Amino acid sequence: MLKKEHPEKLKDPSIRRLLSKLHTTEDILKFNDKLFTQSREKQQNNQKLKTYDKQTMLKLLQYQDKHGFSTSYMSKKYKISRTTITKWRKTFEEEIQSV
């Protein structure tokens, strides 16, 4: 996407350094937020298409448990539906307890 739409950004050494550190979905989402400003409409459309890897899901659930945040709070903060967070919790219940 960068090569196609914004080739000039690839010349920036700081962006190249950040690109080399992208390993999880969370890293990619943070990078995208730093690099591009999005309209509210586009942000809502993109939200529907987001997918998360298992590592990121577990990290968010562990963060929620560690700080005692409610599902509603996490849903608003990370723009993920409450239903999705609850589904993750049920799916990874055993793995969360073992950590």
Side-chain angles (χ1 to χ4, degrees):
M1 188 169 100
L2 277 174
K3 286 180 183 177
K4 231 181 201 184
E5 296 178 20
H6 304 284
E8 72 282 355
K9 292 188 180 202
L10 284 172
K11 295 176 184 172
D12 186 349
S14 62
I15 290 177
R16 288 185 123 356
R17 193 172 349 100
L18 288 171
L19 279 172
S20 68
K21 296 179 183 180
L22 300 179
H23 299 294
T24 65
T25 306
E26 182 184 17
D27 296 337
I28 294 167
L29 294 173
K30 285 181 181 180
F31 176 75
N32 193 40
D33 288 342
K34 286 181 184 179
L35 200 58
F36 304 107
T37 54
Q38 297 179 352
S39 69
R40 188 173 191 82
E41 182 182 323
K42 192 171 185 179
Q43 213 171 27
Q44 288 173 344
N45 288 336
N46 285 344
Q47 186 62 34
K48 295 175 187 174
L49 304 173
K50 279 187 182 176
T51 59
Y52 294 88
D53 59 352
K54 183 177 178 179
Q55 181 182 1
T56 303
M57 291 182 225
L58 287 171
K59 189 174 180 179
L60 288 170
L61 293 171
Q62 289 167 352
Y63 178 79
Q64 179 183 10
D65 289 346
K66 180 180 177 184
H67 296 286
F69 294 139
S70 69
T71 301
S72 294
Y73 174 81
M74 294 294 288
S75 153
K76 289 176 188 171
K77 180 173 177 150
Y78 293 102
K79 298 178 183 88
I80 304 169
S81 75
R82 293 181 315 216
T83 308
T84 300
I85 294 173
T86 303
K87 191 186 325 177
W88 290 353
R89 186 163 294 286
K90 286 178 185 175
T91 304
F92 301 116
E93 188 172 5
E94 293 176 9
E95 292 180 52
I96 294 170
Q97 291 175 356
S98 68
V99 173

